[in-house]
Amino acid sequence: MVGKVLGIKDLEQFSSRRSSVYVDPECDKFFELPLFIAASSNDITTKCQCFQFSPGKEPALRSYTEIQQLLQQGKKRDVKNILRENSWPINSPIRSQLWPMLCGQHQTKEHMLDGFYWEMVHQVFGTTELSEKPIMLPAFVDATHCLPYHLTSTGRAVADRIVNVLGYDCPDITYSPVLYPITSILLHFMSEEEAYVCLAGLVGSKEKVFINQTKLQHEVTWKTVMQIAKKHTKSATSYFQRICPGLKLERVFMDWCWWILAGLPFQHLVRIMDCYFHEGIKVLYRVALVILNLFHKECQSNNEWSPDNIKNDIGNALIKFCKKIPVSPAKLLHAAFSIRGLSTQYISRIFIKTEMLLKSRSVLTSGSKQLIKSRSSDNLPTSQSQVNIQMMSHTLTIREGEKSPGHRAIAMGVYPIHNLKSQACKNEDLFTLWSWLPVRITMYQPVLLYTTEEHGCSLTTFYVRVEQHEPTLLMIKTCNNEVFGAYCSSRWFERNVKDDKGQRQAYFGTGETFLFSLYPERAKYPWVGIEGDKDLGHSSELFMAADSKMITIGGGEGQAIWMDENIRFGKTDSCKTFNNPPLCPSGDFEIRVLEVYGFVGI
């Protein structure tokens, strides 16, 4: 296959369209794209070294217009196949239109008005002129991986400015090391403003993940890659652990994205981006697995990668290997998309499970070993800690503008539990319960969404008032005065979510869900998965379930909490998901009061 024939005028138009001011003119050597004269004409043609040239045969590469029409018709699968199969030459002008269109389909904000970016630039820097002085990069950028990909000094300054404006416009981005390299790649094929709009689309995407934006997402991602690799590149991962007995695989996989972004030749990277901008981060997952397999094979046949040469630094050896990767971009992608059993659903399941585990452990930074303790009297706040919570609650709920105990530059958050008037539990029980909530949730104002005292005993009413809120806190007081309940991490609306076969999922929720008992005993029962990374089986992940007839929390050889459609009667058993005893002695109970709280501002 050969790149599409470009005439002199075509090349001139491409040169003007491509942001030549941003790209080092010597980068043709970097791209390794020699020119040659076609045998049958005087046209100058660009040939990618990755493909064979067959004289007299015109490649059947799809045009931008064809792809645009398919996207407009909603034929995203057809577009996916075209992007995977069409190996446009690296300097094909199609990307100056194709990439903005692919990124633009993920845009969730209202259409950006012309000039929006430049207004933001003026707002951030006070001028639209590009400063000759270095620009301080946002804190979310990894300074050690600001990969320029042969941009000029002007191009690098433009990339600096783009990520600064994006950080200003998207303050929720707290850690995103890959954002700068992707910015640099985009600037090879489009203007500064177009690159910003593309990034805004990728960052704001709701349907697919493209760019991690927090340290938690970053950690979940590399741990997901590691879990997938243990299954799909088992021989490679076992080999690395065998030659380096003391090596922790975590140290290798933490840098997985740099195998691709910092290691692979630019022509490989551009073809990967063709697919990535449409399909999302799963493309990078697949490429990473192929790199592992190829490296493993080379280790067994090439002395350069012998165990003695790589055992001290496998991570760095992987990046060096990628720089000289022995396959073409086409073969690399073909191998990546030929991996079986690596569906979007499978990847999502591993990702969510890993995220649940990290959230349940409150692990927000790599290497942290802090765990949430399982049920025990050790979970209960001391009398002093209850006083501290109460004092903080009183102090932090003073309104802005009123006299405060001291100067505060900004509002610090709210702990207004002393304002709650619960019919289900006492005030001191609320302090205990509050100490068990995830820390980030305690900063939000609780609001009573549903109570049987005011809204009646109806599951329909319960759903109307509660189902769109996440998370929620359920408290039950029985006719025997037992008090217990659950912190539910997901929306009750998820009971309506259907799988690929059109069937509703039976259970939903995450490992942040937990049970509690306040009377006659005080105890917290977190998810059993907190205790370790081992696979505990399906029965340990049955967090929440609901339909028009009942609500269930916890499952596996019993249901921790079950309530009927009239929210009048229920039962409680021990279950595998939370390893709890029955939450009331008799097992069966009659509901005196059910209260459900949500949190304002989440």
Side-chain angles (χ1 to χ4, degrees), residues 298-299 301-307 309-310 317 320-321 324:
E298 285 292 307
C299 288
S301 60
N302 189 333
N303 288 333
E304 182 180 0
W305 311 113
S306 66
N309 290 335
I310 69 171
K320 287 182 178 179
F321 166 76
K324 317 184 224 185

Side-chain angles (χ1 to χ4, degrees), residues 214-481:
T214 67
K215 280 194 173 182
L216 176 62
Q217 289 178 351
H218 180 74
E219 185 175 2
V220 171
T221 299
W222 69 254
K223 287 193 171 182
T224 298
V225 174
M226 182 174 68
Q227 293 301 319
I228 293 173
K230 286 179 179 179
K231 177 180 178 181
H232 290 272
T233 60
K234 191 173 182 179
S235 297
T237 52
S238 298
Y239 174 78
F240 297 141
Q241 287 201 309
R242 188 168 64 253
I243 66 173
C244 305
L247 175 71
K248 289 187 177 181
L249 279 178
E250 286 85 350
R251 294 179 60 186
V252 176
F253 283 94
M254 283 174 68
D255 290 333
W256 77 280
C257 61
W258 306 121
W259 308 342
I260 301 168
L261 294 172
L264 290 178
F266 195 72
Q267 61 264 34
H268 290 67
L269 199 50
V270 169
R271 277 294 294 127
I272 291 169
M273 291 295 109
D274 288 340
C275 302
Y276 165 79
F277 290 140
H278 183 63
E279 298 184 53
I281 199 170
K282 69 174 185 178
V283 173
L284 305 187
Y285 288 179
R286 288 178 170 274
V287 171
L289 296 183
V290 175
I291 289 172
L292 277 177
N293 275 329
L294 290 173
F295 185 53
H296 178 220
K297 290 179 181 178
E298 285 292 307
C299 288
Q300 295 175 312
S301 60
N302 189 333
N303 288 333
E304 182 180 0
W305 311 113
S306 66
D308 290 338
N309 290 335
I310 69 171
K311 65 181 181 181
N312 293 327
D313 194 352
I314 292 179
N316 192 44
L318 267 164
I319 293 178
K320 287 182 178 179
F321 166 76
C322 288
K323 290 181 183 295
K324 317 184 224 185
I325 196 161
V327 297
S328 68
K331 288 184 177 180
L332 180 66
L333 285 179
H334 178 75
F337 295 123
S338 297
I339 299 173
R340 294 176 179 246
L342 198 59
S343 65
T344 301
Q345 292 75 19
Y346 168 74
I347 294 173
S348 296
R349 189 164 64 249
I350 299 296
F351 186 94
I352 292 170
K353 185 175 181 179
T354 305
E355 185 178 37
M356 284 194 311
L357 188 62
L358 290 181
K359 283 184 176 181
S360 298
R361 290 177 169 182
S362 297
V363 178
L364 299 180
T365 55
S366 177
S368 175
K369 301 298 182 183
Q370 182 180 2
L371 300 180
I372 298 174
K373 296 179 181 179
S374 59
R375 66 178 181 86
S376 156
S377 59
D378 293 338
N379 281 321
L380 301 180
T382 64
S383 57
Q384 183 58 51
S385 67
Q386 290 196 28
V387 171
N388 292 341
I389 294 173
Q390 191 168 13
M391 290 176 63
M392 188 177 293
S393 172
H394 175 73
T395 301
L396 298 184
T397 50
I398 296 176
R399 294 178 179 272
E400 290 292 335
E402 298 179 1
K403 290 185 178 180
S404 176
H407 173 70
R408 287 191 296 150
I410 58 173
M412 297 170 61
V414 179
Y415 289 80
I417 44 179
H418 69 284
N419 288 330
L420 293 184
K421 304 297 182 183
S422 173
Q423 300 296 315
C425 68
K426 299 177 181 178
N427 203 43
E428 56 265 31
D429 292 328
L430 285 174
F431 288 126
T432 297
L433 185 54
W434 207 256
S435 72
W436 289 338
L437 298 180
V439 174
R440 71 182 191 283
I441 301 300
T442 63
M443 304 302 292
Y444 292 95
Q445 170 79 40
V447 57
L448 184 62
L449 302 175
Y450 172 85
T451 171
T452 51
E453 294 286 282
E454 180 180 346
H455 305 115
C457 300
S458 166
L459 197 51
T460 301
T461 306
F462 171 92
Y463 289 139
V464 169
R465 299 189 63 84
V466 170
E467 67 178 9
Q468 294 296 344
H469 291 265
E470 177 183 310
T472 52
L473 188 64
L474 276 68
M475 287 195 287
I476 299 169
K477 185 173 185 178
T478 73
C479 291
N480 292 329
N481 292 323

Side-chain angles (χ1 to χ4, degrees), residues 204-221:
S205 173
K206 299 299 183 185
E207 292 185 2
K208 298 176 181 177
V209 177
F210 290 88
I211 298 175
N212 294 322
Q213 299 168 44
T214 67
K215 280 194 173 182
L216 176 62
Q217 289 178 351
H218 180 74
E219 185 175 2
V220 171
T221 299

Side-chain angles (χ1 to χ4, degrees), residues 552-588:
T552 295
I553 301 168
E557 297 185 3
Q559 296 164 316
I561 298 176
W562 179 92
M563 292 184 288
D564 68 1
E565 61 184 311
N566 298 315
I567 311 185
R568 183 179 176 186
F569 296 104
K571 64 179 181 178
T572 173
D573 298 309
S574 58
C575 75
K576 282 193 171 183
T577 300
F578 300 106
N579 193 28
N580 61 286
L583 299 176
C584 66
S586 64
D588 296 321

Side-chain angles (χ1 to χ4, degrees), residues 18 29 35 58 69 171 206 208 221 277 308 387 416 521 543:
R18 187 175 167 192
K29 296 178 182 177
L35 297 177
E58 184 81 11
Q69 289 174 349
K206 299 299 183 185
K208 298 176 181 177
T221 299
F277 290 140
D308 290 338
V387 171
E521 291 185 358
F543 300 106

